[in-house]
């Protein structure tokens, strides 16, 4: 099957049209910029299409007044809207069956869990398919399919559907299509960029997650007054447009446009600057077409895949607990002698993601400089423990202290999460044990992130139970998760330290040999 799809591969139609108009091919640097831009837009669209459900929850089950998302409203609001809030109060939104009953929150929670479960399970299959099929076509199909089923969820409003099974099924199928995104975009980036600066590049590139979350929230909130169905249809249409952009302009493989793969031992992609695709099309198509996909078992045997996958399980458990529960925690915690509103808590919680963006870039840069992914990831996870303890202990002193400690916690919590899901996955997917004759980027990414997504589903679920016993129990769970995540990388950390020590000893011996007086006559005679 893979050979058939390899035969169908070629220059994307949009690039082919531009090449005909310009009369020559793009340079390698231009292709890399285009690939970074398109994959950034693609995954931002994926995240934007996941946000409507969180925005619409208060409309489907209007237990609390509905407010517009930041930056459309004020950042800090001390008092909640009461019954006098005639614009956004409960009088406007009466809920939507079957979610407006006493078990409404349970049904909404079941939809979230079903989505995450299908997403994590679908990730393993999607990763293998991504390495077997053409990544451009596979990513296009995943984005258009996601858009269709996100939109169908919203069509329940216009079709007046009140059957819980309909909404559950739409979310489950959407979760399966959403699983195509992450393995595909990481594989594309891994195909185009070598290992030298991969950590920094992917650290910056990983900001698409936050951009997508913010964009999705604003889009869904902006059309909410027209009917909650539009909050799904508009982001769904956005990801469909993103899929068309991918189909037209994404060159998923350097070989398809005349460049050798940077992970090919025989290829030096940094030095190749052809002016014409045809000059290398024959060798490129042969090289890419003869590569075979790697199975799940073989990918799991690549050194480092299992430890990093398990580490991400606990890392995502911590990160997603903050993602789903931080606004609620802020609204239930006294800060500077007062309680902030639900609206203010949601606005305030976005600063955790700001710290996470900085953490992802910093972790990527440090890991590139040290050439030590495991040491960097483990160090960040260990540093997350005192940062979370400090946030829990002193975050209530004032708004300023809370913001600073929240951003520091976000930096250390999201830093290793971003590093493992991007640079580490790409490194392992091009591991030397594959000898350049196999495609494993998407498969390895799926194994690591799929395992992590299971932790992402477990963390918020456990928090729902532990929060009834007090928030100290929740933070204890989070700190234990960070500790376990760091410990799971212990063997890889020791290997990296040993390797660096051996290199240092070898270099020291070489320098000592040059200064050894016994070698001076030989050097003199040689002159």
């Amino acid at each position: 099957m893979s050979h058939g799809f390899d035969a169908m591969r070629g220059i994307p139609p949009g690039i082919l049209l531009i090449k005909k108009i310009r009369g020559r091919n793009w340079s390698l640097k231009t292709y890399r910029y285009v690939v970074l831009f398109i994959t950034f837009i693609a995954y931002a669209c994926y995240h934007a299409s996941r946000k409507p459900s969180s925005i619409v929850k208060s409309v489907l089950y209007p237990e609390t007044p509905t407010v517009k998302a930041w930056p459309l409203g004020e950042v800090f609001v001390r008092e909640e809207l009461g019954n006098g809030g005639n614009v956004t109060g409960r009088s406007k939104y009466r809920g939507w069956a079957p979610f407006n009953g006493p078990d409404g929150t349970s049904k909404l929670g079941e939809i979230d869990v079903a989505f995450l479960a299908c997403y994590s399970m679908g990730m393993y299959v999607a990763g293998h398919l991504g390495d077997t099929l053409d990544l451009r076509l596979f990513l296009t199909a995943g984005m258009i399919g996601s858009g269709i089923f996100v939109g169908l969820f919203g069509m329940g409003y216009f079709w007046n559907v009140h059957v819980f099974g309909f909404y559950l099924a739409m979310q489950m199928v959407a979760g399966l299509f959403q699983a195509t995104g992450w393995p595909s975009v990481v594989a594309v980036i891994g195909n185009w960029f070598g290992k030298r600066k991969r950590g920094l590049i992917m650290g910056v590139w990983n900001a698409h997650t936050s951009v997508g979350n913010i964009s999705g929230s604003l889009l869904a909130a902006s059309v909410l007054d027209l009917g909650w169905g539009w909050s799904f249809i508009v982001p769904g249409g956005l990801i469909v447009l993103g899929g068309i952009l991918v189909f037209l302009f994404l060159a998923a493989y350097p070989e398809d446009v005349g460049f050798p793969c940077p992970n090919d031992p025989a290829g030096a992609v940094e030095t190749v600057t052809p002016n014409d695709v045809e000059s290398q099309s024959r060798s490129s198509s042969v090289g890419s077409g003869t590569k075979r996909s790697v199975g799940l078992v073989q990918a799991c045997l690549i050194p480092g895949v299992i430890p990093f996958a398990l580490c991400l399980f606990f890392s995502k458990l911590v990160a997603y607990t903050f993602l789903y529960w931080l606004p609620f925690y802020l609204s239930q915690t006294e800060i500077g002698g007062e309680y902030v509103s639900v609206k203010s808590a949601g606005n305030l919680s976005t600063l955790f993601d700001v710290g996470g963006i900085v953490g992802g870039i910093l972790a990527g840069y440090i890991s590139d400089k040290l050439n030590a992914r495991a040491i960097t990831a483990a160090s960040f996870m260990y540093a997350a423990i005192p940062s979370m303890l400090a946030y829990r202990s002193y975050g209530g002193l004032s708004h300023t202290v809370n913001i600073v400690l929240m951003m520091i916690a976000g930096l250390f919590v999201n830093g290793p999460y971003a590093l493992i899901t991007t640079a580490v996955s790409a490194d392992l997917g091009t591991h030397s044990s594959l000898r350049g004759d196999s495609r494993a980027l998407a498969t390895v990414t799926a194994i690591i992130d799929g395992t992590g997504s299971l932790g992402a589903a477990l963390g918020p679920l456990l928090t729902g139970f532990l929060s009834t016993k007090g928030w100290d129990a929740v933070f204890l769970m989070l700190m234990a998760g960070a500790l376990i995540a760091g410990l799971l990388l212990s063997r890889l950390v020791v290997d990296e330290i040993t390797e660096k020590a051996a290199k240092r000893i070898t270099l020291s011996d070489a320098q000592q040999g040059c200064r050894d007086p016994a070698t001076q006559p030989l050097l003199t005679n040689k002159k």
Side-chain angles (χ1 to χ4, degrees), residues 87-330:
V87 177
T88 58
R90 296 184 66 173
S91 59
K92 180 175 182 178
Y93 300 115
R94 299 179 179 178
W96 187 268
F99 303 105
N100 60 350
D103 60 345
T105 54
S106 299
K107 282 185 166 61
L108 291 170
E110 289 172 18
I111 284 180
D112 288 340
V113 172
F115 175 87
L116 287 171
C118 290
Y119 175 77
S120 60
M121 290 187 293
M123 188 82 72
Y124 297 101
V125 178
H128 180 68
L129 290 176
D131 283 326
T132 304
L133 309 178
D134 181 359
L135 277 173
R136 177 172 64 91
L137 299 179
F138 184 61
L139 186 57
T140 299
M143 295 181 73
I144 293 177
S146 296
I148 289 173
F149 283 93
V150 169
L152 284 175
F153 190 103
M155 288 302 298
Y157 171 80
F158 299 98
W159 293 338
N160 202 28
V161 177
H162 297 281
V163 180
F164 175 68
F166 171 81
Y167 299 104
L168 183 67
M170 293 303 103
Q171 281 290 78
M172 292 175 70
V173 179
L176 292 175
F177 275 104
Q178 287 273 323
T180 61
W182 190 242
S184 299
V185 295
V186 172
V188 171
I189 294 297
N191 288 337
W192 277 97
F193 292 88
K195 189 176 180 180
R196 187 164 57 92
K197 292 184 179 180
R198 184 179 282 164
L200 177 59
I201 291 170
M202 286 189 160
V204 176
W205 172 79
N206 195 60
H208 49 47
T209 299
S210 298
V211 171
N213 288 340
I214 294 172
S215 301
S217 297
L218 294 177
L219 276 176
S222 66
V223 295
L224 189 59
D225 288 341
L226 301 178
W228 65 260
W230 286 108
S231 295
F232 287 88
I233 293 174
V234 173
L238 177 67
I239 192 173
V240 170
L241 292 177
I244 295 173
L245 179 70
V246 166
F247 176 77
L248 292 176
F249 296 104
L250 180 63
Y253 309 89
E255 301 97 325
D256 292 344
V257 288
F259 295 94
C261 178
N263 303 307
D264 186 349
V269 74
E270 307 289 344
T271 61
V272 178
T273 55
N275 289 325
D276 198 358
V277 173
E278 283 78 12
S279 63
Q280 297 187 22
S281 61
R282 182 177 300 275
S283 62
S284 298
S285 61
V286 172
S288 63
T290 55
K291 291 183 179 181
R292 57 186 175 82
S293 62
V294 169
L296 286 174
V297 175
Q298 185 179 353
C300 288
L301 295 178
I302 297 174
V305 168
I306 296 300
F308 274 114
L310 294 175
C311 173
L312 189 63
F313 177 93
F314 289 97
S315 178
K316 265 196 164 184
L317 183 151
V318 177
Y320 270 67
T321 298
F322 275 100
L323 176 66
Y324 281 102
W325 284 92
L326 183 57
F328 184 77
Y329 170 75
L330 289 169

Side-chain angles (χ1 to χ4, degrees), residues 469-501:
K469 302 180 181 298
W471 288 104
D472 288 339
V474 174
F475 275 84
L476 183 61
M477 176 196 72
L478 296 178
M479 289 185 286
L483 176 62
I484 296 172
L487 292 175
L488 285 167
L489 297 180
S490 296
R491 182 174 179 180
L492 297 179
V493 169
V494 171
D495 290 343
E496 287 182 350
I497 293 175
T498 303
E499 181 182 355
K500 290 185 176 299

